[in-house]
Amino acid sequence: MKTGIATVSISGNLEEKIEAIAAAGFTGIEIFEQDFIADSRSPREVGERIRAAGLELLLFQPFRDFEGLPAPLRHKAFDRAERKFDLMQELGTDLVLVCSSVHPEALGGIDRAADDFAELGSRAAARGLRVGYEALAWGRHVNDHRDAWEVVRRADHPNIGLIVDSFHTLARGLDPESIRRVPGDKIFFVQLADAPRIDMDLLYWSRHFRNMPGEGDLDVATFLRAVMATGYSGPVSLEIFNDQFRGGSSATIAQDGYRSLVAVMDDVRRTEPEVHVDLPAMPSRIPVRDTAFIEFAARGAELSALEAQLGSLGFRRAGRHIAKQVALWQQGDIRIVLNAETEGHAATAYNVHGSTICAVGLEVGSAQDTVDRATALGAVPFAQPVGPGELPIPAIRGLGGSVVHFIDDVSGLSDVWRVEFEPEADDTDGAGLTRVDHIAQTMTYDEMLSWSLFYTSLFDMKKAPMVDVIDPDGLVRSQAVEAPDGRFRITLNGAETHRTLAGKFLAETFGATVQHIALETQDIIATAKTLKGFGFQPLQISPNYFDDLAARFDIAPETLAQLRAESILYDADANGEFFQLYSKPFAGGMFFEIVERRGAYAGYGAANAPFRIAAQKRLMRPKGMPAM
Ligand code: MG
Ligand code: MG
């Protein structure tokens, strides 16, 4: 099946767009007229360049304000169409998108529009061209794909067909199931776009806030299912107008687009098995069972400090790698790998970011299936040389150079700790930390959609609603992505300014991703007391916070006293209670969090973030500033 994307979706000049679109894996391209006009090459040269990049020029768009005009405007509209037909022939594409008119003098009337299209169809046929008609959600007389279809049906010309666009249908709340009535061969082209649910003017919403399928709130999969059920076998293409994307990296936006398009086509194939979606087979979304390990790259004094920090958190060195400067620290089911190698991925990550979390390992049913699905979605497999006696652990590149490894039982990869490590301490009960509750990634706000798409397209994970985290120096947006059983949770924190704690972390680590790891305990008070014995120094929370807790919540006085004594933050909602204890920040602003969830509390304590961040910032004030 041909996969396309409109040039308007991508940042950069036309050449940069073509390169990014071809590199991301698309087979076709829609040329948006403005992108062509801004380019200095002739239409023939642009067409040749697109084909030389391995792309088919699927569509030329848009041709506006054509139908329903009174004379003499009507004649002018046909003259304009002939000029665009000339251009299309030079470019080498046979299909033009005509969007429904917004012209103030357009008269309306299905039959009038149908007559116009019948004549346009004859003119297009004389040149071997085709015309597709799309209902804009804000079209003057036609703003519903059902009316556009009626125009096309009555035009009754083989060179006139319908173009459907998920945004125009779904944004107006139209039932996409009505598309099933249209004969598949009369649908000439399909455009997909998602968007966040925002109550605003349709035109403004469409021109600025569209995003990739799966990144927004529209049911693009149901729309595409209805289209594919008609027997449609033409291209499926993305048309995304988004201000943020226009300012982003061409390559990343194109890769996200390809990933989203393949994922939604795969969803349709799985949920509408009767329809034919011509797409290579791939495993379904991968359930993540748990976090298998967290790997730090660290050396020298920072490595020693990290070891001391882990020791104070109750971790013990459980193993030493048979060949590398790599140690395994463990507590409960939490495995932390400290990598001090001077070659390989950890070394590269260390050189870029300083001490950093350079990789994360996930426990999955099948590591090979995971890599296969990731690769089908455009991710790049990651491998480095494997020494004698070592296991080749499948991995992929995440975003921004990060690496994600996959461990399973079926291929014996979960034996890696026994196979590659010489055992040391075996008492790893520590302070009662049992497993990783969540991994918190920090990024710029612009990168959040890319990361959430990465997780939700590859894994069986869902987005939680976006939460605003109030940093004293600016807003941080936080989006959790979670496995259905809550065993694997990621929080994506998007910093809009470098003055926030998250923004400072990005600046000081040159774009590291994981900022904190939250570890679970079943009894946070007992854990806190044990940790004190290990020399753990918790982040000190202001006494005012605890006075306020007493006012906000119905907490038993002795519990409150314990929270105050151990510097434990508290939150509760209708589902349950949540307790948080933080380490002091280390190595450029990373930190550990210890959490206890009681009942079905599913959040992350966003209400506590301002007080935690303020406490962290007190410790991170610039050199030379007096302590207060
Ligand atoms: Mg469109
Ligand atoms: Mg957290």
Side-chain angles (χ1 to χ4, degrees), residues 36-42 45-46:
F36 162 71
I37 295 172
D39 198 272
S40 59
R41 289 169 288 188
S42 73
E45 286 168 333
V46 167

Side-chain angles (χ1 to χ4, degrees), residues 11 54 56 83 97 142 188 193 228 242 288 311 363-364 402 431 443 472 491 501 509 511 549 558 568 613:
S11 61
E56 185 176 337
R83 299 292 75 74
L97 178 150
V142 172
F188 280 5
M228 298 308 295
N242 183 303
V288 182
E363 209 179 295
V364 293
S402 60
M443 59 204 60
T491 59
L501 185 78
T509 61
L549 268 193
E558 34 323 339
I568 294 170
I613 292 168

Side-chain angles (χ1 to χ4, degrees), residues 438 516 518 582 593:
H438 64 271
H516 80 260
Y582 285 93
E593 177 185 3

Side-chain angles (χ1 to χ4, degrees), residues 438 440 491 493 516-518 578 580 582 591 593 595 604 612:
H438 64 271
T491 59
N493 300 299
H516 80 260
I517 303 286
F578 190 56
Q580 303 168 281
Y582 285 93
F591 53 94
E593 177 185 3
V595 303
Y604 301 85
R612 178 262 296 176

Side-chain angles (χ1 to χ4, degrees), residues 92-148:
T93 182
D94 76 330
L95 181 61
V96 60
L97 178 150
V98 177
C99 51
S100 59
S101 182
V102 297
H103 198 288
E105 293 185 50
L107 293 168
I110 295 277
D111 284 324
R112 180 180 288 105
D115 288 348
D116 289 345
F117 276 103
E119 183 177 339
L120 191 63
S122 299
R123 292 185 184 216
R127 301 183 188 229
L129 302 178
R130 297 178 302 143
V131 175
Y133 183 42
E134 176 196 60
L136 293 178
W138 53 90
R140 187 167 173 81
H141 301 293
V142 172
N143 51 32
D144 182 322
H145 64 260
R146 292 169 296 193
D147 294 337

